[in-house]
Amino acid sequence: MSSPAERYAAARRKAAQAAQFPALDEFALELGFDLDDFQREACQSLERGSGVLVCAPTGAGKTVVGEFAVHLALRGRPDDPVPAVDATAPPARRKCFYTTPIKALSNQKYHDLVARYGAEQVGLLTGDNAINGDAPVVVMTTEVLRNMLYAGSSTLQGLAYVVMDEVHYLADRFRGGVWEEVIIHLPASVTLVSLSATVSNAEEFADWLVTVRGETAVVVSEHRPVPLWQHMLVGKRMFDLFHDADAARKHDVHPELLRYTRETARRLELGEGRSAGPGAGRRGPRWRGPLRPDIVDRLDREGLLPAILFIFSRAGCAAAVQQCLAAGLRLTSAEERAEIRRVVESRVTAIPGEDLSVLGYWEWLDGLERGLAAHHAGMLPVFKEVVEELFVRGLVKAVFATETLALGINMPARCVVLERLVKYNGEAHVDLTPGEYTQLTGRAGRRGIDVEGHAVVVWSPETDPRHVAGLASTRTYPLRSSFRPSYNMAVNLVGTVGVEPARALLESSFAQFQADRSVVGLARQVQRNTETIDAYGAEAACHHGDFDEYFALRVAIAEREKAIARQGQTQRKAAAVASLERLRVGDVIRVPSGRRAGLAVVLDPATGGFGEPRPLVLTQDRWAGRVSLGDFTTPAEVLARIRVPKHFNHRSPGARRDLAAEVSGTGLDRHGGRRGGRSRQATGEDHQITQLRSELRHHPCHACPEREEHARWAERRRRLERDTDELRERVSGRTGSLARTFDRIVALLTERGYLARDGAVTDAGRMLGRIWTEADLLVAECLRRGVWNGLSPAELAAAVSVVVFEARRDVDERASLPRGPVADAVDETLKLWGEIEADEAARGLTATREPDLGFAWPVYRWARGEALAKVLGSGHEIDGEMPAGDFVRWARQVVDLLGQIADSGGATTELRSTARQAIAAVNRGVLAYHTSA
């Protein structure tokens, strides 16, 4: 217990702080809880008039600093001018914009601020909602603020504070550039509050903020308000990852966990505990980890619910719920089930009854009533929102989610489970990074509810506990800029400030700041390499003669031999391509290599079109599929011909069996006799090599007894010179790289008539400046060329969908299109894209993404009023029908582009009218539902 003197001193300090920071004292009294040190430090910097960058873990309470900026704006400053006629009037109120990366976060923050300050003081601006936009506090997505800045909106008047929540989103490769645009373009009078997850280069980011925004305080906290305990689940046993906090700091894995996992892996290697089943006859059976229902039941028994179980697959999340239902899990009481049903029924009233069954409503409701749910981007948005609400209220106890949940709204849990440490990133399966691991496990531990949070990794033979310990302990995940100039940005910048000032603005971006900093390190490396090259040169010197000249002859001989070898490979590849292009249906060939080596009959030659030929074949082993050029080390030779039925179905096992028997019946040898070795071009017969070798033998250094030692030093020098030349190219490429890209974009826009020769923005350029989509230039060209004129509303929705849609995974076959006007419009769009891509390639610019036809049929049918079941079934998906959540997301993007067309000065009156009709046609049923703001 403190002494009276200590209590008196503490009271004096508190009084002094209150006098120095009166606004913070008022704010803290309203909160009802004590501020953490980092929160107090950041808020004090704000009250002093400084900008602030706050980096802290998920759930640490960063948003308190943003809410203090709101408080400052509403409070006004004591030194604000007050009219002399009324000295008692309150200080003038100023504005605060609170920006978030996603609409769901904007909606949530809007509700939080309305509950605190009242609906008349708070507004909301997102793509879907516009509520009280002139309020002193407005919550919005970052894109909305960017658009305001370019348009010079009157709403910006009186703006004093901008809070950028989740500012680390500027590393996002698709949308990150928007954050930098806003930071660079905000008026100097605006104080910026940047809230970020913990990143390892916070100081570098703050240094950049100082250069573009002025004084900026950096407040970094790595302290979690709720301690996080790390565990591994090995079979049915749960282990602590670390023995204690000291072991966690040293990355020392719990010795008992290491011993048990090694013993388990050894038993698997020896084949012990082999389960009867498909893998029973093989050595080293596949590890069967704990079942998902067993994991949930285990967490329930140990008091670790509510929990989020991360499964990096949409199908896996849905399957996990079904598995738990099949196992009879029930985590809710009768009262909770009644409340869940009440909430659900109140939220789905706007969805037509016939659509609910298509959306799997009853199965979803059954899971919710038992306290179980999935959460992923393929779900209908209203379904996801209900899951979020019920989970936060503690009614849903276990949510199976993809990693997108970690980037979304505030949904803390007592426990987080990671089923695997590998995820699919759209291109390949990759390991989780330390940053991703921290973001996912950061959900564990609810402030004010839980004493501690828990993160559980499910063990498998591929999972090394030491690797998990590294993920859990590493704090090295730097913020990297993804900023690059776009066509829309270029015309807006030129229109706002002119060409030369626009170049200077781009050079002030975080991307260029990072590039310039990296150049310093590269330049130092070039200097060190140059010194080493001189030292190697001295070691290679030969008293017999000029060893550089001698070594150059050796290099020339080696390069000539490689060139001859490459020429032979090119000729062999060309011969193989030609042989595949000559194949016809019924040809029996021998696939010389690869997994499908052996005899095969051609079902579809697949000639014509682009790329290398990939014939569809049926092998002797009854496998049907396309073979590639890589399977043919020698040209394909037709060995025989057999008759293939006219309507042969290669997916039918019986048809495959019968035709494969005919292939075997030809009596041909499966592998064939080995043909003679490759026809070698005798390198000695090449005139150039003969000449070079003669010069080499007659060179004075050839007789040196230390010739090979000199050659080794010369080779080291040559490699280092090559590496140093690459470093010099990187230095020159990074210095002013964004400005060079901007110059190329300006040149292309000038040639196409969006900018005048004197740098002025033309009418076409002003139209382009109001198109906000990834394919901005392609949309502008379609409007200028009248590609979409004369279409019906449904046809227009289908035609514009190809420039916004992007399939989750590549599909080999091109999607079909509604015949007639839609197909014609899409063909014209593809031609325009080809022209733009050629211009971009000629100037070394990143190519505009190719239009994707996969959403044309679904949105066309939907806009024509067809049933949801039929619409979802018409998607060009690998895995069957299109998920409802994907359909809604892409349909909303189509609506957004249609809205831009409806407001575009570059569209005809008729097209603008059609766009409005198309919006009305698409906004029905599941699309008509919006989160009530």
Side-chain angles (χ1 to χ4, degrees), residues 118-320:
E120 69 283 354
Q121 299 276 34
V122 185
L124 175 68
L125 294 174
T126 67
D128 296 336
N129 291 302
I131 301 168
N132 198 15
D134 293 322
V137 178
V138 185
V139 183
M140 61 185 69
T141 50
T142 316
E143 279 85 354
V144 169
L145 178 54
R146 187 268 313 272
N147 299 354
M148 277 187 188
L149 289 166
Y150 280 143
S153 171
S154 59
T155 312
L156 296 167
Q157 290 178 3
L159 182 61
Y161 296 92
V162 167
V163 180
M164 301 197 80
D165 204 352
E166 311 279 357
V167 76
H168 52 272
Y169 253 77
L170 68 77
D172 183 88
R173 66 191 179 109
F174 297 113
R175 298 170 56 217
V178 177
W179 274 253
E180 288 185 52
E181 287 182 79
V182 168
I183 291 169
I184 292 168
H185 286 78
L186 277 174
S189 58
V190 175
T191 300
L192 186 67
V193 182
S194 306
L195 309 179
S196 170
T198 312
V199 293
S200 59
N201 62 334
E203 289 74 16
E204 179 189 38
F205 185 48
D207 288 348
W208 172 69
L209 287 173
V210 169
T211 65
V212 293
R213 303 296 317 162
E215 185 184 356
T216 304
V218 189
V219 180
V220 178
S221 172
E222 297 215 12
H223 172 70
R224 279 182 53 98
V226 180
L228 178 64
W229 292 96
Q230 309 271 353
H231 313 277
M232 285 199 81
L233 183 61
V234 188
K236 295 183 178 180
R237 290 190 61 179
M238 184 94 80
F239 293 88
D240 291 337
L241 185 60
F242 303 113
H243 183 263
D244 53 28
D246 188 48
R249 281 190 293 273
K250 297 176 182 175
H251 302 195
D252 288 342
V253 177
H254 198 301
E256 181 62 18
L257 169 60
L258 277 178
R259 187 197 64 76
Y260 190 79
T261 52
R262 284 170 181 161
E263 181 62 25
T264 305
R266 188 187 66 80
R267 286 203 307 270
L268 283 169
E269 277 293 311
L270 296 174
E272 292 177 27
R274 189 176 291 164
S275 57
R282 295 192 300 269
R283 178 177 174 78
R286 199 175 105 185
W287 165 254
R288 299 188 188 281
L291 299 174
R292 290 160 178 165
D294 294 341
I295 294 175
V296 175
D297 186 52
R298 173 73 176 269
L299 297 177
D300 187 27
R301 283 188 281 109
E302 298 203 8
L304 295 180
L305 296 181
I308 300 171
L309 297 94
F310 284 108
I311 300 172
F312 303 120
S313 151
R314 296 177 179 186
C317 291

